[in-house]
């Protein structure tokens, strides 16, 4: 299991992570980010890509 | 040309986002040999966008903007504070300003851009913002009540204006264009941007240039081409940027605008030959994107260093592995979706695609109302090539998909 943390003080809801890891991240109808904090190991590449593309660098994988 | 020395490292020049992503991608694509990153800044790679926005508005520190370092990057060698001065593509060597000549097995060009300066005598109070050091120096002068003149009204100039205003400065924009952010956004949207910036207390002089920067020990005023004199303590020059290609001048690479690359991010010579051992990533790369056409373009958006760095790392790793997968990796489709955002006061812009490709001013309001929230479409020959959200985000997603699918 991968554990994900998003610093919601930093997050500006740009939603770039949504394209990389749609199983874990989505923008709701109010344009706010919602996320699932756990992902199977098979999702690691996608989660890392989501970390990379976050303009605010607000996403972390907790090892 | 000499045989590549397999013991020499892959040398990446430019220790910023593009260089970092290329190094990470080499490792992730299975390359286990030596990697050395040479960069002239003293700081490890950091994120630039907050330097005109959130971080400039609070405390400018490296910690606030540093990119996290991954475990697989542990044995990458960083040569920071060192400038590349020349390269020999035949001998596969790089010369740096400390007098060293080093061998490389493959080269990644990631030296990005630098801020262009106005052509006036140096004087205290003149600033640009490209690097962390630039932002630190500027931050110290953005004190409440300071009179700030921002020259240029691109995204960066408008963001810096908004941040300075938030910090209590009196802000004037001076720009040769008719409206702020005119070129990327188009007349209709840019007029609305002017309305909003003005409402927030930013004064805008448009259609004028700077004729002189006056002052004894430091800046006291800015004189405009129409004779107007604007009192100023701080001048921020946001008038575009130039590509850091000087160190490549003795090569036969195509440097007509940045460095030309093919769709695999391999550097291309003036005679049209792509090199398997030299790659280009980030702001400096001029490459074709089949999402739009086969015209090579430079794209100064934040997602490009990451997308091109990943692509270059994967292709180069396959070349170095020499395991028969190279042709297959090169042939993989590479059509990154350009995307950018910009925050100015309550104005939240977000865009996908290339707004600048619009033809015949074919710009359409797709949803909403510009004075509040809207999605705006940019069309080339009737096909959607870009979408801009003014305060809208999730609503853009179907349009983003339409652009990726060819625009119709
Ligand atoms: C203040 C600011 C705000 C921005 N905001 C946004 C935004 O909101 N949205 C958006 O989409 N984009 C934004 N951008 C653009 C985005 O940050 C760039 O696209 C990105 O930084 C480009 O990365 P790069 O690695 O290609 O180049 P650069 O970041 O320019 O890095 C190149 C590196 O190479 C070094 N170098 C240059 N020459 C040499 C040499 N001869 N030897 C050794 N090292 C050398 C440079 O010092 C630098 O460290 C912003 C840029 C700035 C400056």
């Amino acid at each position: 299991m991968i554990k994900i943390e998003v610093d919601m003080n930093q997050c500006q809801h740009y939603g770039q992570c949504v394209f990389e890891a749609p199983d874990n991240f989505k923008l709701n109808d109010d344009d706010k980010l919602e996320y699932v904090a756990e992902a199977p190991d098979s999702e690691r590449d996608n989660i890392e890509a989501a970390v990379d593309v976050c303009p605010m660098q607000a996403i972390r994988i907790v090892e | 040309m000499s045989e590549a020395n397999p013991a020499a490292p892959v040398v990446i020049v430019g220790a910023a986002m593009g260089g970092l992503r290329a190094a990470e991608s080499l490792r992730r694509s299975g390359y286990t040999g030596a990697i050395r990153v040479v960069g002239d800044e003293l700081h490890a790679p950091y994120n630039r966008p907050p330097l005109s926005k959130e971080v400039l508005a609070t405390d400018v520190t490296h910690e606030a903007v540093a990119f996290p370092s991954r475990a697989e990057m542990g044995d990458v060698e960083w040569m920071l504070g060192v400038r590349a001065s020349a390269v020999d593509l035949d001998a596969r060597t790089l010369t740096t300003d400390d007098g060293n000549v080093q061998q490389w097995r493959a080269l990644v060009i990631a030296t990005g851009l630098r801020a262009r300066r106005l052509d006036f005598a140096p004087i205290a109070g003149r600033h640009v913002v490209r690097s962390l050091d630039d932002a630190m120096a500027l931050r110290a002068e953005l004190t409440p009540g300071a009179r700030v003149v921002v020259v240029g009204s691109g995204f960066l100039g408008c963001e810096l204006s908004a941040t300075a205003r938030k910090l209590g400065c009196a802000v004037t924009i001076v720009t040769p264009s008719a409206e702020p952010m005119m070129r990327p956004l188009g007349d209709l949207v840019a007029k609305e941007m002017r309305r909003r910036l003005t409402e927030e207390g930013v004064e805008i002089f448009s259609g004028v240039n700077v004729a002189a920067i006056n002052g004894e020990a430091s800046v006291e005023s800015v004189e405009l081409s129409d004779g107007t004199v604007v009192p100023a303590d701080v001048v921020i020059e946001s008038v575009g940027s130039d590509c850091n290609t000087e160190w490549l001048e003795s090569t036969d690479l195509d440097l007509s605008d940045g460095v030309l690359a093919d769709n695999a991010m391999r550097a291309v010579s003036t005679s049209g030959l792509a090199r398997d051992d030299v790659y280009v990533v980030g702001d400096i790369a001029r490459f074709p994107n089949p999402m739009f056409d086969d015209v090579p373009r430079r794209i100064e958006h934040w997602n490009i260093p990451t997308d091109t760095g990943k692509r270059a790392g994967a292709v180069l790793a396959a070349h170095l592995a020499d395991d028969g997968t190279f042709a297959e990796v090169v042939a993989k489709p590479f059509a990154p979706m350009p995307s950018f955002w910009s925050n100015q006061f309550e104005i939240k812009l977000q865009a996908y695609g290339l707004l600048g490709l619009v033809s015949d001013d074919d710009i359409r309001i797709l949803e909403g109302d510009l004075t509040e929230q809207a999605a705006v479409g940019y069309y080339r020959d009737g096909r959607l090539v870009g979408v801009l959200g003014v305060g809208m985000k999730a609503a853009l997603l179907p349009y983003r998909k339409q652009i990726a699918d060819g625009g119709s």
Side-chain angles (χ1 to χ4, degrees), chain A residues 12-14 16 31 52 55, chain B residues 47 70 341 343 350 393-394:
Chain A
Q12 297 278 337
H13 315 279
Y14 288 117
Q16 302 301 301
D31 277 350
D52 286 352
Chain B
N47 197 22
R70 292 221 158 94
W341 72 97
N343 281 354
Q350 186 157 12
K393 286 181 181 145

Side-chain angles (χ1 to χ4, degrees), chain B residues 197-271:
Chain B
L197 291 170
T198 309
E199 202 174 83
E200 297 281 0
V202 174
E203 190 169 10
I204 303 178
F205 289 96
S206 48
V208 283
N209 283 300
V210 174
I213 296 177
N214 302 319
E216 294 284 325
S218 66
V219 173
E220 290 166 19
S221 67
V222 174
E223 199 176 313
L224 310 187
S225 48
D226 64 359
T228 310
V229 175
V230 186
D233 306 302
V234 176
V235 177
I236 307 176
E237 302 168 18
S238 184
V239 292
S241 31
D242 293 307
C243 297
N244 292 317
T245 50
E246 288 76 7
W247 62 286
L248 296 164
E249 262 159 20
S250 62
T251 68
D252 66 347
L253 298 179
D254 185 332
L255 307 179
S256 42
D257 172 22
V259 184
L260 181 62
D262 69 1
N263 184 254
M265 303 318 297
R266 289 177 293 190
V268 176
S269 72
T270 46
S271 48

Side-chain angles (χ1 to χ4, degrees), chain B residues 19-317:
Chain B
L20 172 69
R21 295 291 184 241
E24 288 173 347
S25 168
L26 274 167
R27 280 286 179 262
R28 228 178 274 179
S29 308
Y31 171 71
T32 54
I35 302 177
R36 180 181 298 147
V37 189
V38 177
D40 65 355
E41 290 188 80
L42 285 169
H43 310 286
Y46 57 86
N47 197 22
R48 295 187 199 276
L51 297 179
S52 53
K53 312 179 187 72
E54 301 84 359
V55 165
L56 184 64
T58 52
D59 246 354
V60 188
T61 61
H62 183 252
E63 204 191 341
V65 288
F67 284 119
S69 153
R70 292 221 158 94
E72 74 252 30
M73 297 285 286
D75 60 353
V76 170
E77 183 191 347
W78 297 87
M79 276 180 80
L80 299 180
V82 176
R83 201 176 168 72
S85 46
V87 67
D88 184 330
L89 295 185
D90 292 330
R92 293 198 179 82
T93 57
L94 175 76
T95 306
T96 44
D97 64 354
D98 54 4
N100 277 322
V101 178
Q102 51 183 296
Q103 272 211 310
W104 43 265
R105 183 182 185 191
L107 181 72
V108 179
I109 298 166
T111 44
L113 313 179
R114 62 172 174 275
R116 196 172 291 161
R117 305 227 51 151
L118 295 172
D119 191 14
F120 297 110
I123 184 171
R126 287 183 59 188
H127 292 268
V128 292
V129 181
R130 179 77 195 177
S131 68
L132 179 62
D133 294 345
D134 293 340
M136 283 179 175
L138 174 64
R139 180 64 184 86
E141 295 190 16
L142 294 182
T143 48
R147 298 162 305 174
V148 176
V149 170
V150 177
V151 186
S153 63
F155 291 114
L156 189 56
C158 292
E159 288 171 4
L160 291 164
S161 302
T163 304
R165 188 83 195 105
K166 257 190 243 167
L167 289 169
C169 305
V171 179
T172 307
I173 293 179
V174 171
T175 176
S177 11
E179 302 293 345
M181 298 170 276
M182 178 75 175
R183 202 173 42 100
L185 300 186
D187 190 54
L188 189 66
V189 184
K191 280 207 165 69
E192 168 63 12
M193 293 300 124
R194 173 196 284 262
R195 187 189 67 79
R196 293 193 190 194
L197 291 170
T198 309
E199 202 174 83
E200 297 281 0
V202 174
E203 190 169 10
I204 303 178
F205 289 96
S206 48
V208 283
N209 283 300
V210 174
I213 296 177
N214 302 319
E216 294 284 325
S218 66
V219 173
E220 290 166 19
S221 67
V222 174
E223 199 176 313
L224 310 187
S225 48
D226 64 359
T228 310
V229 175
V230 186
D233 306 302
V234 176
V235 177
I236 307 176
E237 302 168 18
S238 184
V239 292
S241 31
D242 293 307
C243 297
N244 292 317
T245 50
E246 288 76 7
W247 62 286
L248 296 164
E249 262 159 20
S250 62
T251 68
D252 66 347
L253 298 179
D254 185 332
L255 307 179
S256 42
D257 172 22
V259 184
L260 181 62
D262 69 1
N263 184 254
M265 303 318 297
R266 289 177 293 190
V268 176
S269 72
T270 46
S271 48
L273 291 177
R275 292 189 57 128
D276 293 343
D277 60 346
V278 183
Y279 293 76
V280 197
V281 302
D283 275 7
I284 199 174
R286 184 161 66 93
F287 67 101
N289 185 341
M291 185 178 293
F292 304 100
D293 48 38
D294 55 8
V295 179
R297 291 188 186 84
R298 284 195 317 101
I299 307 175
E300 295 175 27
H301 292 342
W302 185 86
N303 72 299
I304 294 298
T306 292
D307 288 337
T308 55
K310 285 185 175 173
R311 170 73 166 159
V315 176
L316 175 54

